[in-house]
Each structure stands twice: as C-alpha cells, then as structure tokens.
Amino acid sequence: MYRLLRNLLFNLEAEQAHYFSMNLLSTACSIRPVRKIIGNCFTPAGPGLARTAFGLHFKNPVGLGAGFDKNACYLRELETLGFGFVEIGTVTPLPQEGNEKPRLFRLPEDKALINRMGFNNDGVKVIRKRLEEWKTNTTPHSARAAGLGAPPESGGEFGKQGVIRGKMIIGGNIGKNKVTPNEDAWKDYEICFNELFDVVDYFVVNVSSPNTPGLRALQDKDSLLKILGNLQENNKKRPHPKPILLKIAPDLTDGQLQDIADLAAEIQLDGIVSSNTTISREKLSEASKDQSEAIGMGGLSGQPLKTASDDILEKISRLTAGKVPVIASGGVFTGKDAADKFNRGAVLVQVWTGFIYEGPGIVKKICKEIKA
C-alpha cells in the first residue's frame, strides 16, 4: 500500500511531498476515531521495548531524527505513528529561511537523500510556544486527572485499553544562525538552551551539519569546549538539569574522535548522537553519483551512509569505553539495521531517510524485528 503512495509522492518535488503528506496525516489525526485507527495500526506494543537512557524513559528505542519536524508542528501525528521519541529542530535563536530551493533531493536507486536545507526554522520563541502547547495538551498528569491516564508502558494512547498515552520524549536539537560568526556561536546555543529548557526532555548540540558555512569547524576541541562547557555550567545550576548530547559527523578523523571522547569525559557529556549526514559520495552507485553531481552540495543520508555511520559509532563507543550513551542514526531501515547499531554500542536509534522510503509502518516493523 505505501509503495503505491510513495510512487505518487515521488512525482512531487521532495520538500513539497514532505509537507503535503504530513499535512494530510495531520488532517486525518484531527479526527479522533481516525487517529485511533492509525494509532492501532502503527503503534508497537508489547513487553521488552522500553529503554532507559540519560535518566529518561523511552517507550521504545526508535526515534525520529532532527530535520524532519524542524518546527514542532507534527508531534501528535508522529506520536500516533508510534515513535518512541522525536528530535525537533535544528532550532536557531532567530528564524531563518535556510538555503535556496530546491534543497532536498531523492536518490531512489540507493534509497538515499541529499539535503542542503540550511537550518530553516521558525526561530526559538515560536517553537517554544508550540512545545508549551504540546506539553499542556499531552502531559500524563492531565490525562490522569481526567480519569483517563495510564503509565507509558500501557500500550499508548490508542492501545488495547483505549487509554491516553504518557508524553512522548522530545529532544531539542539546537544550532547557530547562519549570520552568527563562529566566535560568538556559543551565545546562540545558550539562547536556545535557555528558551527551550522547560519544554524539551534533552538537548542535542548540532555542530556537524554540512549545510551551514563554517559550522563543522566548531567540531574542534576548543570550540566544543566553549559551547558545551558553557551549557553544562548553565545546566548544573538548575534544580533539575537536562541531558546534553553532541551530534557528530560521520566524516571525523580518528584524532577528532579522540578529542570528542576526551571532552565528553572532561565536561561529563550526557550522550552522543552518531551520526549526521556525510559529504562523501563514495558509496553511491554510478547512477546516483551522476545524479549527485548534478545536484551539487549537500549532506547525504540513507543506505549509502550506513557503513560509515556504523564505523564511527563503533569507534566512539570504544573510545568512551561505553560510558557515554549513544543515539545512532544513519542507514536505519530495518530491525537488522537497528540491531547492527545496538551491537556497536547504541542505546537508541533514529530514522529519517528510512521513514521516507519505508513509510509510516517503519517503527512498528523495526520494533517487531528486534524483538524476534
């Protein structure tokens, strides 16, 4: 069924198809009986799926990576599809348009995407307001107060007992505005951290996107220490600190990975997201290489990224001696792909490109396969 829908959607320009399909899902989910049917179809259930990481309880280990719901517009819809957690953003202090369109491209032969979005988002204040509304409408406390509540492991909003689900875990992926010079980048991250602190469950510091000029230069140890050290100092002054994670690129050298491992220990980093998109085109088929040359710059994601992201995951897990929990992304399409990540040290996985190619059943499919 989804293959037919995907063929129709792939006739649209990629970014247009994204908003068309998500707005269609949003319309469907606005009708409670329809939302219940969708939830029952796609929400994974059963024992053994819950995970605890960074002090947070995840109802299942499959999340949606940053960049899909940049502006926190589709949280209800994504929860209905069964995601254990969703990372919104990347969020910047000021709204920005991002790069010129078209900026999202499919490579169907390799089940891959190239994007050069450029941190397009509505800005931290608007996104904070949306997240406040989400928390107000979906907190477990409100559900229990109405006599409808149940613990998160009970099967979800539309589980067997028809109860309202506990709040889905939300990560806040934060970055800097394009116009902010690198020497002042730490200020942008602090602004986003302060604004989003009360409305997200954990933070991800994004310095690894290839689509903001100069951003990856912030992955050197001194720059990271300035950004992460400042955030951690801010964090520790609060009554209930939030987990802070760092998102890394799959193109880092062994020396850079060692620096990150050392830094993680020095500032007590709560976790790592491994990995972002790659600037490499090495693993593409010849047909896709020709397409990518015509497309030009951008970060590559999907199946061709899997080997490189697996390697980086294994290295960073070894360098941190497994003491720093890792969320793994890059080429996750099936339960086997997820198991490969877990075997290399990941505690959770994220999908993005796999969601585009496999469709709305991907979470349930992966959860079923990893339980088998």
Side-chain angles (χ1 to χ4, degrees):
M1 176 68 177
Y2 177 69
R3 184 169 294 184
L4 175 62
L5 178 60
R6 187 183 70 188
N7 290 340
L8 294 173
L9 290 172
F10 276 24
N11 287 318
L12 299 174
E13 185 271 325
E15 193 171 351
Q16 183 184 7
H18 170 77
Y19 288 111
F20 174 80
S21 57
M22 290 308 298
N23 288 337
L24 191 65
L25 178 62
S26 181
T27 299
C29 286
S30 68
I31 305 168
R32 185 175 176 84
V34 176
R35 189 165 78 249
K36 180 176 181 179
I37 293 170
I38 295 171
N40 283 334
C41 286
F42 296 115
T43 299
L49 290 176
R51 299 286 190 277
T52 298
F54 332 116
L56 299 173
H57 178 85
F58 297 78
K59 59 180 176 282
N60 72 64
V62 183
L64 184 63
F68 192 94
D69 190 10
K70 290 175 175 288
N71 294 307
C73 291
Y74 301 111
L75 297 177
R76 178 188 63 184
E77 292 71 27
L78 295 169
E79 185 175 33
T80 302
L81 294 182
F83 283 98
F85 60 106
V86 169
E87 207 169 289
I88 57 97
T90 297
V91 182
T92 57
L94 300 175
Q96 57 184 33
E97 292 292 325
N99 293 323
E100 185 180 353
K101 298 178 182 180
R103 53 196 181 183
L104 180 63
F105 309 88
R106 308 180 191 96
L107 301 175
E109 185 165 319
D110 285 348
K111 290 191 173 181
L113 298 173
I114 290 176
N115 93 80
R116 51 169 177 264
M117 304 300 287
F119 287 177
N120 56 304
N121 74 104
D122 292 338
V124 71
K125 290 188 179 298
V126 170
I127 294 170
R128 175 191 169 90
K129 184 176 180 181
R130 289 197 188 111
L131 289 167
E132 285 174 338
E133 292 171 354
W134 162 257
K135 284 175 67 71
T136 300
N137 291 334
T138 63
T139 55
H141 173 76
S142 297
R144 285 195 293 270
L148 299 170
E153 61 271 18
S154 65
E157 179 183 1
F158 302 117
K160 293 180 179 179
Q161 300 175 26
V163 296
I164 293 180
R165 171 170 40 221
K167 180 174 68 71
M168 180 174 62
I169 296 291
I170 304 295
N173 187 297
I174 57 177
K176 80 174 189 73
N177 281 114
K178 185 176 181 179
V179 297
T180 303
N182 276 8
E183 58 267 26
D184 292 329
W186 65 273
K187 298 177 184 177
D188 277 15
Y189 288 95
E190 183 174 55
I191 289 168
C192 291
F193 183 81
N194 288 333
E195 287 285 345
L196 296 179
F197 189 88
D198 293 328
V199 292
V200 300
D201 298 294
Y202 69 91
F203 285 93
V204 177
V205 173
N206 188 355
V207 291
S208 53
S209 170
N211 300 316
T212 296
L215 186 76
R216 284 191 169 194
L218 296 175
Q219 291 181 113
D220 74 77
K221 190 173 183 179
D222 289 342
S223 296
L224 283 177
L225 183 59
K226 177 68 174 177
I227 295 168
L228 294 170
N230 179 65
L231 292 181
Q232 203 60 296
E233 184 179 348
N234 180 327
N235 199 29
K236 289 178 178 178
K237 292 177 181 177
R238 297 173 183 265
H240 303 288
K242 295 287 175 74
I244 298 176
L245 288 69
L246 172 67
K247 188 165 189 174
I248 63 175
D251 311 306
L252 296 175
T253 66
D254 289 349
Q256 288 173 312
L257 287 173
Q258 183 63 65
D259 284 345
I260 287 170
D262 293 342
L263 183 65
E266 181 178 346
I267 67 165
Q268 297 179 305
L269 192 67
D270 295 284
I272 290 171
V273 179
S274 176
S275 62
N276 214 317
T277 57
T278 180
I279 57 175
S280 172
R281 304 292 188 263
E282 182 182 347
K283 295 295 183 179
L284 289 177
S285 65
E286 289 304 316
S288 292
K289 282 182 179 178
D290 291 341
Q291 280 185 267
S292 73
E293 287 180 12
I295 291 167
M297 63 169 285
L300 175 71
S301 61
Q303 285 188 343
L305 176 58
K306 184 174 185 299
T307 300
S309 64
D310 283 355
D311 289 346
I312 287 289
L313 168 62
E314 192 165 6
K315 287 178 180 178
I316 198 66
S317 296
R318 184 176 66 250
L319 289 171
T320 57
K323 295 178 180 178
V324 182
V326 182
I327 300 176
S329 62
V332 179
F333 285 66
T334 66
K336 182 183 181 306
D337 296 331
D340 288 344
K341 304 292 190 188
F342 296 139
N343 291 337
R344 286 169 169 81
V347 295
L348 303 164
V349 296
Q350 289 177 331
V351 300
W352 203 115
T353 305
F355 185 28
I356 302 300
Y357 283 95
E358 298 298 314
I362 189 170
V363 177
K364 190 171 185 177
K365 175 185 172 184
I366 290 175
C367 287
K368 182 179 180 179
E369 291 173 353
I370 61 177
K371 283 176 63 181

